[in-house]
Amino acid sequence: MPENPFYLQLRDRLVTLIETGELPPASRLPGERRLAERFATTRVTLRQALTQLESEGRLHRRNRRGWFVSPRRVEYSPNHDQSFSQYVSAQGRHPHTEVLDVRRQPAPEGAAQALGIICGQAVLHVKRRRYIDGRAVLLERIWLRDDLLPGLAEGDFSTSLWQRLWEEYGLVLARKSLRLYPTALTGDEAKTLGVHSGSAGLCVSRVTHDREGRALEYDEDYWLHDAICLSVEVAIP
């Protein structure tokens, strides 16, 4: 059997350094020149190995700061009714939410269809950036039926939205429908998360209904692909 290309052998050696803790989670790798010298290889070959590890979610790049070891992924279970802060904190990590924008605007086609309203009807749009252990990992865009939720725009969007809907409006989350697919982070998504355009990501779109069957919220979540693991429990009849 032919031997693996050298960049894959180098990839394996870097994995060993990660798994033995010589390169611990969230640590910054030495510069590419130093790494190339250490492994007696060219920077071109080194970058092949680093890019391979990036595609696997073991490493990530930060704009103008170099290469870093990716922390372990957080697990997100759509079966459980937990906020971002709750499930991140429960896994021993530190969540933070930054509200980037809150405004009323015409509903785009996708949001209107999800919410069951006409395209262009005014909705409340919320844009948030989410952090885990100080690293921006998620851009969240939310469209809300504020015609059914008077005064919602005046509240605090850095906390759990559905906790607010329960406390302020007596609404209870009853059903969620999700779609997820891999994507490339470009444009505003890449800029907001501080990654290179074209970086791998995961899009999770979600429609949330209350007990009366009304679709009140439509989300589009753009995750860094190395930050999340979806965990789903399925009952077998």
Side-chain angles (χ1 to χ4, degrees):
M1 176 177 281
E3 192 173 33
N4 282 336
F6 185 71
Y7 83 91
L8 290 179
Q9 297 178 45
L10 181 53
R11 173 258 178 213
D12 293 342
R13 294 170 71 181
L14 288 167
V15 166
T16 298
L17 296 180
I18 294 171
E19 293 182 343
T20 59
E22 183 172 336
L23 293 173
S27 64
R28 184 178 179 178
L29 271 66
E32 290 185 5
R33 183 185 300 276
R34 286 180 57 196
L35 282 174
E37 291 174 351
R38 173 175 177 176
F39 294 108
T41 188
T42 67
R43 293 179 70 175
V44 171
T45 300
L46 173 68
R47 285 175 184 165
Q48 285 182 291
L50 296 175
T51 301
Q52 174 68 30
L53 290 168
E54 181 183 34
S55 70
E56 297 172 14
R58 292 181 179 270
L59 298 179
H60 65 272
R61 283 178 285 184
R62 298 184 189 174
N63 286 345
R64 297 181 295 278
R65 294 190 60 196
W67 291 90
F68 291 77
V69 179
S70 296
R72 61 182 173 84
R73 302 172 190 265
V74 295
E75 289 202 10
Y76 167 56
S77 176
N79 301 80
H80 300 142
D81 182 20
Q82 287 186 310
S83 69
F84 172 84
S85 294
Q86 287 174 328
Y87 69 77
V88 172
S89 297
Q91 296 174 56
R93 311 290 288 279
H94 300 287
H96 173 65
T97 297
E98 180 182 7
V99 180
L100 302 177
D101 192 30
V102 178
R103 68 176 67 187
R104 295 186 83 239
Q105 65 178 46
E109 183 177 356
Q113 183 176 0
L115 293 171
I117 59 178
I118 62 173
C119 187
Q121 178 176 324
V123 293
L124 186 66
H125 179 243
V126 180
K127 181 179 175 182
R128 304 192 291 194
R129 178 164 46 201
R130 305 276 209 169
Y131 296 79
I132 298 176
D133 298 336
R135 179 190 179 204
V137 297
L138 166 63
L139 169 63
E140 187 177 42
R141 294 194 180 100
I142 309 170
W143 289 267
L144 292 150
R145 289 284 307 273
D146 72 327
D147 59 318
L148 302 176
L149 304 165
L152 182 66
E154 308 307 317
D156 181 8
F157 285 92
S158 65
T159 59
S160 169
L161 177 58
W162 274 89
Q163 185 69 25
R164 281 191 58 201
L165 296 186
W166 160 246
E167 293 176 351
E168 298 176 24
Y169 301 91
L171 295 171
V172 178
L173 181 155
R175 179 168 60 89
K176 295 184 289 186
S177 56
L178 284 85
R179 297 177 66 247
L180 56 120
Y181 55 88
T183 188
L185 301 172
T186 60
D188 185 54
E189 292 86 14
K191 181 179 179 181
T192 302
L193 294 175
V195 296
H196 294 285
S197 182
S199 295
L202 179 70
C203 180
V204 180
S205 64
R206 178 173 55 251
V207 185
T208 308
H209 300 77
D210 67 4
R211 284 181 173 173
E212 296 181 25
R214 300 176 298 182
L216 297 182
E217 174 190 1
Y218 171 65
D219 296 5
E220 289 181 356
D221 296 349
Y222 292 90
W223 282 88
L224 299 182
H225 83 295
D226 65 341
I228 184 174
C229 172
L230 283 112
S231 175
V232 180
E233 298 176 10
V234 179
I236 306 298

mmCIF file with all atom_site columns, all heavy atoms in Angstrom, residues 165-177:
data_model
loop_
_atom_site.group_PDB
_atom_site.id
_atom_site.type_symbol
_atom_site.label_atom_id
_atom_site.label_alt_id
_atom_site.label_comp_id
_atom_site.label_asym_id
_atom_site.label_entity_id
_atom_site.label_seq_id
_atom_site.pdbx_PDB_ins_code
_atom_site.Cartn_x
_atom_site.Cartn_y
_atom_site.Cartn_z
_atom_site.occupancy
_atom_site.B_iso_or_equiv
_atom_site.pdbx_formal_charge
_atom_site.auth_seq_id
_atom_site.auth_comp_id
_atom_site.auth_asym_id
_atom_site.auth_atom_id
_atom_site.pdbx_PDB_model_num
ATOM 1   N N   . LEU A 1 165 ? -40.954 36.066 26.375 1.00 0.00 ? 165 LEU A N   1
ATOM 2   C CA  . LEU A 1 165 ? -42.313 35.868 25.859 1.00 0.00 ? 165 LEU A CA  1
ATOM 3   C C   . LEU A 1 165 ? -43.207 35.217 26.906 1.00 0.00 ? 165 LEU A C   1
ATOM 4   O O   . LEU A 1 165 ? -44.415 35.496 26.963 1.00 0.00 ? 165 LEU A O   1
ATOM 5   C CB  . LEU A 1 165 ? -42.279 35.028 24.584 1.00 0.00 ? 165 LEU A CB  1
ATOM 6   C CG  . LEU A 1 165 ? -41.552 35.654 23.386 1.00 0.00 ? 165 LEU A CG  1
ATOM 7   C CD1 . LEU A 1 165 ? -41.714 34.789 22.146 1.00 0.00 ? 165 LEU A CD1 1
ATOM 8   C CD2 . LEU A 1 165 ? -42.031 37.066 23.113 1.00 0.00 ? 165 LEU A CD2 1
ATOM 9   N N   . TRP A 1 166 ? -42.634 34.355 27.737 1.00 0.00 ? 166 TRP A N   1
ATOM 10  C CA  . TRP A 1 166 ? -43.407 33.736 28.810 1.00 0.00 ? 166 TRP A CA  1
ATOM 11  C C   . TRP A 1 166 ? -43.713 34.759 29.906 1.00 0.00 ? 166 TRP A C   1
ATOM 12  O O   . TRP A 1 166 ? -44.862 34.900 30.347 1.00 0.00 ? 166 TRP A O   1
ATOM 13  C CB  . TRP A 1 166 ? -42.648 32.550 29.388 1.00 0.00 ? 166 TRP A CB  1
ATOM 14  C CG  . TRP A 1 166 ? -43.099 32.128 30.756 1.00 0.00 ? 166 TRP A CG  1
ATOM 15  C CD1 . TRP A 1 166 ? -42.390 32.186 31.914 1.00 0.00 ? 166 TRP A CD1 1
ATOM 16  C CD2 . TRP A 1 166 ? -44.377 31.594 31.120 1.00 0.00 ? 166 TRP A CD2 1
ATOM 17  N NE1 . TRP A 1 166 ? -43.124 31.723 32.970 1.00 0.00 ? 166 TRP A NE1 1
ATOM 18  C CE2 . TRP A 1 166 ? -44.362 31.349 32.513 1.00 0.00 ? 166 TRP A CE2 1
ATOM 19  C CE3 . TRP A 1 166 ? -45.537 31.290 30.414 1.00 0.00 ? 166 TRP A CE3 1
ATOM 20  C CZ2 . TRP A 1 166 ? -45.446 30.837 33.207 1.00 0.00 ? 166 TRP A CZ2 1
ATOM 21  C CZ3 . TRP A 1 166 ? -46.630 30.772 31.098 1.00 0.00 ? 166 TRP A CZ3 1
ATOM 22  C CH2 . TRP A 1 166 ? -46.574 30.548 32.474 1.00 0.00 ? 166 TRP A CH2 1
ATOM 23  N N   . GLU A 1 167 ? -42.687 35.484 30.329 1.00 0.00 ? 167 GLU A N   1
ATOM 24  C CA  . GLU A 1 167 ? -42.868 36.399 31.453 1.00 0.00 ? 167 GLU A CA  1
ATOM 25  C C   . GLU A 1 167 ? -43.719 37.613 31.089 1.00 0.00 ? 167 GLU A C   1
ATOM 26  O O   . GLU A 1 167 ? -44.519 38.085 31.910 1.00 0.00 ? 167 GLU A O   1
ATOM 27  C CB  . GLU A 1 167 ? -41.494 36.866 31.959 1.00 0.00 ? 167 GLU A CB  1
ATOM 28  C CG  . GLU A 1 167 ? -40.667 35.751 32.585 1.00 0.00 ? 167 GLU A CG  1
ATOM 29  C CD  . GLU A 1 167 ? -39.278 36.211 32.988 1.00 0.00 ? 167 GLU A CD  1
ATOM 30  O OE1 . GLU A 1 167 ? -38.900 37.349 32.621 1.00 0.00 ? 167 GLU A OE1 1
ATOM 31  O OE2 . GLU A 1 167 ? -38.573 35.429 33.660 1.00 0.00 ? 167 GLU A OE2 1
ATOM 32  N N   . GLU A 1 168 ? -43.570 38.127 29.859 1.00 0.00 ? 168 GLU A N   1
ATOM 33  C CA  . GLU A 1 168 ? -44.248 39.366 29.493 1.00 0.00 ? 168 GLU A CA  1
ATOM 34  C C   . GLU A 1 168 ? -45.577 39.146 28.764 1.00 0.00 ? 168 GLU A C   1
ATOM 35  O O   . GLU A 1 168 ? -46.457 40.008 28.824 1.00 0.00 ? 168 GLU A O   1
ATOM 36  C CB  . GLU A 1 168 ? -43.317 40.222 28.626 1.00 0.00 ? 168 GLU A CB  1
ATOM 37  C CG  . GLU A 1 168 ? -42.043 40.654 29.342 1.00 0.00 ? 168 GLU A CG  1
ATOM 38  C CD  . GLU A 1 168 ? -41.081 41.416 28.437 1.00 0.00 ? 168 GLU A CD  1
ATOM 39  O OE1 . GLU A 1 168 ? -41.556 41.994 27.433 1.00 0.00 ? 168 GLU A OE1 1
ATOM 40  O OE2 . GLU A 1 168 ? -39.878 41.432 28.734 1.00 0.00 ? 168 GLU A OE2 1
ATOM 41  N N   . TYR A 1 169 ? -45.721 38.012 28.085 1.00 0.00 ? 169 TYR A N   1
ATOM 42  C CA  . TYR A 1 169 ? -46.919 37.794 27.274 1.00 0.00 ? 169 TYR A CA  1
ATOM 43  C C   . TYR A 1 169 ? -47.657 36.505 27.627 1.00 0.00 ? 169 TYR A C   1
ATOM 44  O O   . TYR A 1 169 ? -48.722 36.232 27.075 1.00 0.00 ? 169 TYR A O   1
ATOM 45  C CB  . TYR A 1 169 ? -46.553 37.760 25.782 1.00 0.00 ? 169 TYR A CB  1
ATOM 46  C CG  . TYR A 1 169 ? -45.886 39.032 25.298 1.00 0.00 ? 169 TYR A CG  1
ATOM 47  C CD1 . TYR A 1 169 ? -44.496 39.161 25.334 1.00 0.00 ? 169 TYR A CD1 1
ATOM 48  C CD2 . TYR A 1 169 ? -46.634 40.100 24.821 1.00 0.00 ? 169 TYR A CD2 1
ATOM 49  C CE1 . TYR A 1 169 ? -43.874 40.313 24.899 1.00 0.00 ? 169 TYR A CE1 1
ATOM 50  C CE2 . TYR A 1 169 ? -46.014 41.268 24.369 1.00 0.00 ? 169 TYR A CE2 1
ATOM 51  C CZ  . TYR A 1 169 ? -44.641 41.372 24.425 1.00 0.00 ? 169 TYR A CZ  1
ATOM 52  O OH  . TYR A 1 169 ? -44.020 42.528 23.992 1.00 0.00 ? 169 TYR A OH  1
ATOM 53  N N   . GLY A 1 170 ? -47.091 35.712 28.522 1.00 0.00 ? 170 GLY A N   1
ATOM 54  C CA  . GLY A 1 170 ? -47.733 34.460 28.896 1.00 0.00 ? 170 GLY A CA  1
ATOM 55  C C   . GLY A 1 170 ? -47.716 33.404 27.812 1.00 0.00 ? 170 GLY A C   1
ATOM 56  O O   . GLY A 1 170 ? -48.533 32.477 27.826 1.00 0.00 ? 170 GLY A O   1
ATOM 57  N N   . LEU A 1 171 ? -46.785 33.524 26.867 1.00 0.00 ? 171 LEU A N   1
ATOM 58  C CA  . LEU A 1 171 ? -46.711 32.591 25.738 1.00 0.00 ? 171 LEU A CA  1
ATOM 59  C C   . LEU A 1 171 ? -45.789 31.421 26.077 1.00 0.00 ? 171 LEU A C   1
ATOM 60  O O   . LEU A 1 171 ? -44.747 31.600 26.708 1.00 0.00 ? 171 LEU A O   1
ATOM 61  C CB  . LEU A 1 171 ? -46.194 33.300 24.486 1.00 0.00 ? 171 LEU A CB  1
ATOM 62  C CG  . LEU A 1 171 ? -47.119 34.399 23.927 1.00 0.00 ? 171 LEU A CG  1
ATOM 63  C CD1 . LEU A 1 171 ? -46.411 35.165 22.826 1.00 0.00 ? 171 LEU A CD1 1
ATOM 64  C CD2 . LEU A 1 171 ? -48.420 33.799 23.404 1.00 0.00 ? 171 LEU A CD2 1
ATOM 65  N N   . VAL A 1 172 ? -46.177 30.236 25.624 1.00 0.00 ? 172 VAL A N   1
ATOM 66  C CA  . VAL A 1 172 ? -45.402 29.024 25.876 1.00 0.00 ? 172 VAL A CA  1
ATOM 67  C C   . VAL A 1 172 ? -44.986 28.418 24.546 1.00 0.00 ? 172 VAL A C   1
ATOM 68  O O   . VAL A 1 172 ? -45.819 28.250 23.636 1.00 0.00 ? 172 VAL A O   1
ATOM 69  C CB  . VAL A 1 172 ? -46.228 27.993 26.683 1.00 0.00 ? 172 VAL A CB  1
ATOM 70  C CG1 . VAL A 1 172 ? -45.429 26.710 26.887 1.00 0.00 ? 172 VAL A CG1 1
ATOM 71  C CG2 . VAL A 1 172 ? -46.659 28.580 28.016 1.00 0.00 ? 172 VAL A CG2 1
ATOM 72  N N   . LEU A 1 173 ? -43.700 28.106 24.419 1.00 0.00 ? 173 LEU A N   1
ATOM 73  C CA  . LEU A 1 173 ? -43.193 27.435 23.226 1.00 0.00 ? 173 LEU A CA  1
ATOM 74  C C   . LEU A 1 173 ? -43.825 26.050 23.139 1.00 0.00 ? 173 LEU A C   1
ATOM 75  O O   . LEU A 1 173 ? -43.830 25.303 24.107 1.00 0.00 ? 173 LEU A O   1
ATOM 76  C CB  . LEU A 1 173 ? -41.680 27.329 23.315 1.00 0.00 ? 173 LEU A CB  1
ATOM 77  C CG  . LEU A 1 173 ? -40.903 26.679 22.179 1.00 0.00 ? 173 LEU A CG  1
ATOM 78  C CD1 . LEU A 1 173 ? -39.477 27.227 22.169 1.00 0.00 ? 173 LEU A CD1 1
ATOM 79  C CD2 . LEU A 1 173 ? -40.852 25.164 22.317 1.00 0.00 ? 173 LEU A CD2 1
ATOM 80  N N   . ALA A 1 174 ? -44.375 25.728 21.956 1.00 0.00 ? 174 ALA A N   1
ATOM 81  C CA  . ALA A 1 174 ? -45.048 24.442 21.805 1.00 0.00 ? 174 ALA A CA  1
ATOM 82  C C   . ALA A 1 174 ? -44.407 23.553 20.750 1.00 0.00 ? 174 ALA A C   1
ATOM 83  O O   . ALA A 1 174 ? -44.401 22.334 20.883 1.00 0.00 ? 174 ALA A O   1
ATOM 84  C CB  . ALA A 1 174 ? -46.527 24.651 21.459 1.00 0.00 ? 174 ALA A CB  1
ATOM 85  N N   . ARG A 1 175 ? -43.857 24.152 19.696 1.00 0.00 ? 175 ARG A N   1
ATOM 86  C CA  . ARG A 1 175 ? -43.337 23.323 18.603 1.00 0.00 ? 175 ARG A CA  1
ATOM 87  C C   . ARG A 1 175 ? -42.265 24.088 17.847 1.00 0.00 ? 175 ARG A C   1
ATOM 88  O O   . ARG A 1 175 ? -42.379 25.291 17.634 1.00 0.00 ? 175 ARG A O   1
ATOM 89  C CB  . ARG A 1 175 ? -44.469 22.936 17.650 1.00 0.00 ? 175 ARG A CB  1
ATOM 90  C CG  . ARG A 1 175 ? -44.037 22.086 16.464 1.00 0.00 ? 175 ARG A CG  1
ATOM 91  C CD  . ARG A 1 175 ? -45.266 21.519 15.753 1.00 0.00 ? 175 ARG A CD  1
ATOM 92  N NE  . ARG A 1 175 ? -46.147 22.554 15.240 1.00 0.00 ? 175 ARG A NE  1
ATOM 93  C CZ  . ARG A 1 175 ? -46.031 23.111 14.020 1.00 0.00 ? 175 ARG A CZ  1
ATOM 94  N NH1 . ARG A 1 175 ? -45.049 22.719 13.221 1.00 0.00 ? 175 ARG A NH1 1
ATOM 95  N NH2 . ARG A 1 175 ? -46.884 24.028 13.626 1.00 0.00 ? 175 ARG A NH2 1
ATOM 96  N N   . LYS A 1 176 ? -41.201 23.366 17.452 1.00 0.00 ? 176 LYS A N   1
ATOM 97  C CA  . LYS A 1 176 ? -40.146 23.938 16.627 1.00 0.00 ? 176 LYS A CA  1
ATOM 98  C C   . LYS A 1 176 ? -39.932 23.048 15.411 1.00 0.00 ? 176 LYS A C   1
ATOM 99  O O   . LYS A 1 176 ? -39.974 21.829 15.524 1.00 0.00 ? 176 LYS A O   1
ATOM 100 C CB  . LYS A 1 176 ? -38.824 24.023 17.408 1.00 0.00 ? 176 LYS A CB  1
ATOM 101 C CG  . LYS A 1 176 ? -38.827 24.957 18.572 1.00 0.00 ? 176 LYS A CG  1
ATOM 102 C CD  . LYS A 1 176 ? -37.453 25.038 19.222 1.00 0.00 ? 176 LYS A CD  1
ATOM 103 C CE  . LYS A 1 176 ? -37.095 23.765 19.967 1.00 0.00 ? 176 LYS A CE  1
ATOM 104 N NZ  . LYS A 1 176 ? -35.823 23.884 20.708 1.00 0.00 ? 176 LYS A NZ  1
ATOM 105 N N   . SER A 1 177 ? -39.709 23.669 14.282 1.00 0.00 ? 177 SER A N   1
ATOM 106 C CA  . SER A 1 177 ? -39.292 22.917 13.094 1.00 0.00 ? 177 SER A CA  1
ATOM 107 C C   . SER A 1 177 ? -37.936 23.456 12.661 1.00 0.00 ? 177 SER A C   1
ATOM 108 O O   . SER A 1 177 ? -37.732 24.674 12.610 1.00 0.00 ? 177 SER A O   1
ATOM 109 C CB  . SER A 1 177 ? -40.313 23.049 11.965 1.00 0.00 ? 177 SER A CB  1
ATOM 110 O OG  . SER A 1 177 ? -40.545 24.404 11.633 1.00 0.00 ? 177 SER A OG  1
#
